[in-house]
Amino acid sequence: MATTSPPPEIDDPPTRQIEPVEDHGAIEESWDSDTGATTAEYAITTLAACGFAALLVVVLKSEPIKELITGVISSALGLGS
């Protein structure tokens, strides 16, 4: 079984050789525009994870969930009836 997907089909591949770029400053300027984007993405993901964790704590501390988890553990350990 293959673990990678096949390369995409290209309808019209380039027929000529690609010319090297002479103006490297223009390339570097284009990369400067997204500086900090990765950090912002990590921050948003971290906030979402913390919010989900807080919601999970609230749900797990509720009495019906405590009883359900205790019942499952008791049954699994043979302590139930």
Side-chain angles (χ1 to χ4, degrees):
M1 181 162 86
T3 58
T4 58
S5 59
E9 295 293 326
I10 300 175
D11 294 332
D12 190 21
T15 56
R16 61 181 176 80
Q17 184 176 3
I18 298 173
E19 298 295 323
V21 176
E22 296 295 328
D23 185 14
H24 295 289
I27 294 174
E28 290 179 10
E29 287 176 14
S30 68
W31 286 104
D32 289 342
S33 63
D34 65 350
T35 301
T38 303
T39 304
E41 291 167 2
Y42 284 136
I44 290 171
T45 304
T46 302
L47 285 174
C50 289
F52 181 73
L55 179 64
L56 192 60
V57 166
V58 169
V59 169
L60 290 177
K61 284 193 169 199
S62 67
E63 195 59 38
I65 299 297
K66 280 184 185 178
E67 290 175 6
L68 179 68
I69 292 174
T70 303
V72 168
I73 292 173
S74 295
S75 296
L77 294 176
L79 302 174
S81 53

